[in-house]
Amino acid sequence: MNVKLLEATQSVCPTCLEVVEARIVVNDDNTVSMEKECPRHGSFSCYLWPDAAHYRWLKDFKFPHLRPKVTHCVDRGCPDDCGLCASHRHHPRLVELELTQRCNLRCPVCFMAADDNQENYSTDLSLDDIARRLETILEQCGPQVSLQLTGGEPTVRKDLPEIVALCRQAGFSAIEVNTNGVVISRDPQFLEQLIAAGITGIYMQFDGLSDPVYQQIRGANLLQTKLQAIENCRAAGVQVVLAMAVIQGINEHQLGDLLDFALDNRDVIVGVAYQPAFGSGRFDVAGNQPLTMGNVIFKLAEQSHGILKPYDFWPTGCSHALCDATTYIVRQPRGDEPLSRTVSVQDYLHHFDPSSPQGSVLPDLAAKIYPELDPGLSILIMNYMDAMSMDLKRLKQCSMTVSGPEGHLIPFCSYQLTNCDGRKKADLTFS
């Protein structure tokens, strides 16, 4: 096979997780792949994108960088101990705070490999620990950063409203709960307590519109549970973002159905995050062929009944251009259409605000330029990296971080990184 080199970068060996040299190449069939070789474990090839021209176009977007306000000295560097270091190029826009590793489900696909033993309280952060981390996040990012309270499943903590209140008292205004929706579907009063404490939104796993999808990805028939959670949020007046883990052969054919569902319920659903599943943590789905952001962009366009086209998705500018892409669907007299039909790429770049929260760039732009428009529906497609696809150039531009045990803010993909057997680097030994 003849290949054309696009660029050189660094990655990791998917077996030992040591840093290795890598090449991004265009193949004979116009797809894009990463090639790399580990001196100990051999050669690897990882599919990255379905269309080289689209890959180049997206990658060539240029945005101003807002570097981290606080950086730390590192020993080995990315991806081993970044937290963030001086070579990091983007200020955090979102910080995840993992409150527990407990969960009320045991999903076959879980990058956290969360523990379904709900009595294992040893993984819970204490309120004092949480307060200390909030203070550190505030020092490093300022109060404008978005907080996402996550786990495990954060709603298994009965003191979650108290934790939300701590976030508010610390000075944060954007506080989102990342949840599977089980508790808030069964306990509307708990949801009301979260709202009273100060949450600004619910970020909910929503993998499709049929129970077989949930059985394969989440290990239970959860569709009615998810729908009830949305109804409870509607009644309580809190906005929802739906997060779909996209897996080839399971639910990739429902991308358009989910878009239709969100558009029909835009009074409560403000966004959809399509997340091609990545191979960190637990991934108990046999024979899966990986999908990337590029695949989802093209498939969603095909399933959108003409509302979307592949080139309607633009980088958010908050991270590397290949890490996330977004569009914003607004209601016009001629029907629903993306803002990119009204705003040019040049306008987008001219009005780009590097301090805008991740995923909010186009809504913010619409509010500035077209304040007469009704609120639209944000579409965000994430392109997470695992041990096969890890690109250290991309990692150094990450703006989605996790609050680590020492208070450092760690890029999400390096924080969750495991080898092809689901083990962290600290747990690996090779003779």
Side-chain angles (χ1 to χ4, degrees):
M1 176 183 288
N2 295 317
V3 296
K4 179 180 179 181
L5 178 66
L6 281 180
E7 67 174 317
T9 186
Q10 289 183 310
S11 183
V12 296
C13 169
T15 301
C16 65
L17 300 181
E18 291 294 336
V19 174
V20 297
E21 300 301 315
R23 305 190 311 152
I24 310 296
V25 300
V26 179
N27 304 305
D28 287 341
D29 61 358
N30 205 41
T31 60
V32 179
S33 298
M34 174 187 287
E35 296 180 345
K36 54 187 175 181
E37 184 171 354
C38 173
R40 182 179 296 173
H41 298 107
S43 300
F44 302 90
S45 179
C46 174
Y47 166 85
L48 296 180
W49 216 264
D51 181 84
H54 185 262
Y55 178 95
R56 290 191 185 98
W57 174 80
L58 202 66
K59 183 177 178 295
D60 284 344
F61 274 72
K62 303 299 181 187
F63 297 91
H65 293 164
L66 189 64
R67 289 186 177 270
K69 182 171 65 173
V70 177
T71 58
H72 300 275
C73 296
V74 295
D75 180 19
R76 292 172 56 87
C78 293
D80 292 328
D81 59 354
C82 183
L84 299 164
C85 68
S87 63
H88 206 85
R89 300 177 65 189
H90 276 291
H91 183 73
R93 305 306 202 286
L94 181 145
V95 179
E96 288 194 346
L97 188 57
E98 292 184 346
L99 306 179
T100 182
Q101 292 182 27
R102 295 182 291 131
C103 191
N104 46 15
L105 295 174
R106 191 195 183 282
C107 300
V109 177
C110 178
F111 59 80
M112 274 289 299
D115 186 356
D116 60 351
N117 176 6
Q118 294 188 55
E119 304 304 316
N120 186 14
Y121 292 96
S122 64
T123 67
D124 289 8
L125 287 182
S126 70
L127 293 181
D128 286 342
D129 285 339
I130 292 169
R132 281 192 290 270
R133 293 203 189 192
L134 291 173
E135 183 179 352
T136 301
I137 294 168
L138 191 65
E139 291 172 354
Q140 297 184 66
C141 303
Q144 74 282 353
V145 75
S146 296
L147 288 183
Q148 192 174 84
L149 304 180
T150 185
E153 172 52 46
T155 62
V156 302
R157 291 194 58 153
K158 293 181 172 57
D159 61 351
L160 184 57
E162 186 176 352
I163 294 170
V164 174
L166 281 177
C167 298
R168 279 286 178 183
Q169 292 163 14
F172 298 99
S173 58
I175 306 164
E176 190 174 56
V177 173
N178 185 347
T179 178
N180 58 30
V182 171
V183 171
I184 64 172
S185 74
R186 298 172 181 170
D187 191 349
Q189 289 186 338
F190 187 72
L191 177 61
E192 294 280 3
Q193 292 172 21
L194 294 176
I195 296 169
I199 65 165
T200 51
I202 294 291
Y203 189 87
M204 189 174 75
Q205 294 170 357
F206 199 93
D207 301 317
L209 290 156
S210 63
D211 270 328
V213 164
Y214 290 102
Q215 186 63 52
Q216 293 179 81
I217 300 178
R218 304 298 169 193
N221 295 333
L222 293 170
L223 179 58
Q224 292 307 312
T225 296
K226 305 286 186 177
L227 296 176
Q228 186 60 57
I230 292 171
E231 287 304 316
N232 290 349
C233 289
R234 172 182 278 123
V238 64
Q239 65 184 30
V240 180
V241 174
L242 302 181
M244 181 186 197
V246 187
I247 302 178
Q248 177 77 21
I250 296 180
N251 64 346
E252 86 286 356
H253 61 289
Q254 293 192 10
L255 300 173
D257 294 339
L258 182 54
L259 176 63
D260 292 341
F261 176 79
L263 288 169
D264 289 342
N265 292 275
R266 69 184 92 186
D267 62 306
V268 60
I269 298 171
V270 298
V272 179
Y274 293 96
Q275 302 174 343
F278 59 109
S280 292
R282 184 169 59 237
F283 199 94
D284 298 336
V285 177
N288 175 254
Q289 296 296 315
L291 293 175
T292 70
M293 184 169 80
N295 296 109
V296 172
I297 287 173
F298 279 87
K299 288 178 180 292
L300 179 56
E302 290 170 3
Q303 297 175 29
S304 70
H305 314 294
I307 295 176
L308 298 170
K309 297 177 181 178
Y311 287 84
D312 287 325
F313 293 92
W314 298 344
T316 66
C318 298
S319 297
H320 190 282
L322 297 173
C323 286
D324 42 42
T326 187
T327 193
Y328 187 59
I329 300 175
V330 294
R331 184 176 284 156
Q332 301 276 31
R334 53 189 175 271
D336 289 322
E337 62 180 36
L339 191 66
S340 55
R341 306 284 168 80
T342 306
V343 176
S344 68
V345 171
Q346 290 72 28
D347 288 335
Y348 181 55
L349 296 176
H350 175 72
H351 290 280
F352 177 77
D353 180 358
S355 65
S356 181
Q358 186 173 19
S360 299
V361 177
L362 281 173
D364 289 351
L365 182 62
K368 292 176 184 176
I369 302 180
Y370 302 105
E372 71 279 4
L373 288 176
D374 292 333
L377 180 73
S378 292
I379 307 296
L380 183 65
I381 305 178
M382 310 297 290
N383 202 29
Y384 296 120
M385 297 182 290
D386 56 23
M388 284 298 295
S389 60
M390 178 62 66
D391 182 338
L392 297 192
K393 284 186 178 179
R394 285 177 53 192
L395 190 66
K396 291 175 182 178
Q397 296 190 43
C398 179
S399 67
M400 179 178 175
T401 60
V402 182
S403 174
E406 303 301 322
H408 291 184
L409 301 180
I410 304 168
F412 176 87
C413 290
S414 60
Y415 183 87
Q416 305 295 353
L417 182 65
T418 62
N419 77 346
C420 51
D421 294 323
R423 292 190 293 166
K424 296 272 191 179
K425 189 170 184 179
D427 301 326
L428 298 178
T429 55
F430 296 97
S431 58

